[in-house]
């Protein structure tokens, strides 16, 4: 079989639109997921046993089940339970946000535990309200310590986002599959799609390593 990558020149715009959809979905779920993860991380370190238990069940469930099954359940089953219709975009955002929240919560939990108890005691001694403690003292330090792992989680999210093609969302993978079917050129098309994912994920992975080194040096760990 002779390979002919020139056939893809006709589909540059379609691939670009698919990539933009993938990037947009990743950014939305990254912001929502990291926010959720921080709140769940706080809940997992809370004094309340009930709150810690609920947070732990959520984390273990979404870390212990395949993202594809979670996506399918939200897309096919949740509308039947709620009696409302969910678009593939909404289903993708919900599924990936819940997944991102679960994996980043562990990152935040570890970073929160690394913050010295004396700092929290100082906040109490100064009479800072709980909100000020979280926003001005705990959050900045937790985020700084968590940045390298959070960036790795974001790269993983970018790659996992390809799963939304299974529910018909026109991301890069979905567009690639359609082009492959229409041109009967799966080798060329899927190779290019894989290379696009790699071209974005690999530099980000290398950047994570550099950032991690600088943060560790800054924290003198």
């Amino acid at each position: 079989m002779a390979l002919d990558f020139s056939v893809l020149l006709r589909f540059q715009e379609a691939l670009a639109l698919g990539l933009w959809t993938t990037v947009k979905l990743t950014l939305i779920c990254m912001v929502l997921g990291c926010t959720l993860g921080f709140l769940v991380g706080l809940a997992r370190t809370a004094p309340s046993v009930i709150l810690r238990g609920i947070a732990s069940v959520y984390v273990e469930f979404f870390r212990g089940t395949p993202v594809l099954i979670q996506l399918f359940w939200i897309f096919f089953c949740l509308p039947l339970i709620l009696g409302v219709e969910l678009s593939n975009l909404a289903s993708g955002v919900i599924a990936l946000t819940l997944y991102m929240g679960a994996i980043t919560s562990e990152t935040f939990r570890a970073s929160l535990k690394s913050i010295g108890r004396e700092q929290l005691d100082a906040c109490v001694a100064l009479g800072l309200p709980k909100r000020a403690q979280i926003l001005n003292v705990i959050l900045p330090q937790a985020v700084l310590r968590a940045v390298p792992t959070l960036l790795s989680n974001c790269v993983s999210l970018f790659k996992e986002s390809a799963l939304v093609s299974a529910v018909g969302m026109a991301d890069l993978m979905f567009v690639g599959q359609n082009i492959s079917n229409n041109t009967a050129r799966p080798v060329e098309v899927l190779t290019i799609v894989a290379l696009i994912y790699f071209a974005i994920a690999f530099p980000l992975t290398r950047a994570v390593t550099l950032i991690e080194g600088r943060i560790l040096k800054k924290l003198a760990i």
Side-chain angles (χ1 to χ4, degrees):
M1 175 183 173
L3 298 180
D4 181 16
F5 286 93
S6 64
V7 69
L8 292 169
L9 295 175
R10 293 183 290 142
F11 302 99
Q12 292 180 78
E13 289 187 10
L15 289 170
L17 285 173
L19 176 59
W20 168 239
T21 299
T22 294
V23 171
K24 182 170 62 175
L25 175 67
T26 302
L27 291 174
I28 292 172
C29 296
M30 181 179 71
V31 173
L32 295 177
C34 287
T35 303
L36 176 61
F38 179 72
L39 295 175
V40 174
L42 282 176
R44 296 201 72 186
T45 58
S48 171
V49 176
I50 296 176
L51 194 57
R52 291 202 310 269
I54 293 173
S56 296
V57 169
Y58 158 72
V59 171
E60 295 305 327
F61 177 81
F62 282 96
R63 288 179 63 205
T65 55
V67 183
L68 184 59
I69 293 178
Q70 298 168 17
L71 177 62
F72 278 168
W73 194 92
I74 291 170
F75 184 72
F76 293 110
C77 303
L78 193 59
L80 297 176
I81 296 173
L82 298 179
V84 295
E85 202 164 317
L86 290 176
S87 65
N88 47 21
L89 173 60
S91 300
V93 169
I94 293 171
L96 293 179
T97 295
L98 291 174
Y99 164 74
M100 187 67 172
I103 62 174
T104 56
S105 69
E106 287 297 281
T107 302
F108 280 118
R109 184 169 72 94
S111 63
L112 287 168
K113 280 185 171 294
S114 70
I115 298 174
R117 180 68 196 178
E118 66 278 1
Q119 297 191 45
L120 299 178
D121 292 339
C123 291
V124 174
L126 292 171
L128 292 177
K130 194 70 176 176
R131 183 177 178 181
Q133 292 180 34
I134 293 174
L135 293 179
N136 300 327
V137 179
I138 297 175
L139 179 59
Q141 295 185 70
V143 170
L144 181 62
R145 287 169 166 78
V147 162
T149 309
L150 286 177
L151 291 176
S152 296
N153 291 338
C154 291
V155 175
S156 297
L157 178 68
F158 172 70
K159 294 182 288 186
E160 293 288 352
S161 69
L163 294 174
V164 299
S165 62
V167 293
M169 189 171 172
D171 69 327
L172 178 59
M173 187 63 197
F174 183 83
V175 171
Q177 288 175 322
N178 280 347
I179 295 174
S180 172
N181 294 334
N182 291 332
T183 60
R185 289 282 181 176
V187 176
E188 293 92 331
V189 176
L190 296 181
T191 298
I192 291 299
V193 168
L195 288 175
I196 292 173
Y197 277 105
F198 178 78
I200 295 175
F202 180 72
L204 291 175
T205 303
R206 300 308 302 167
V208 169
T209 304
L210 294 175
I211 292 171
E212 182 177 15
R214 291 186 179 183
I215 290 177
L216 290 177
K217 186 176 180 181
K218 183 175 181 180
L219 294 174
I221 296 177

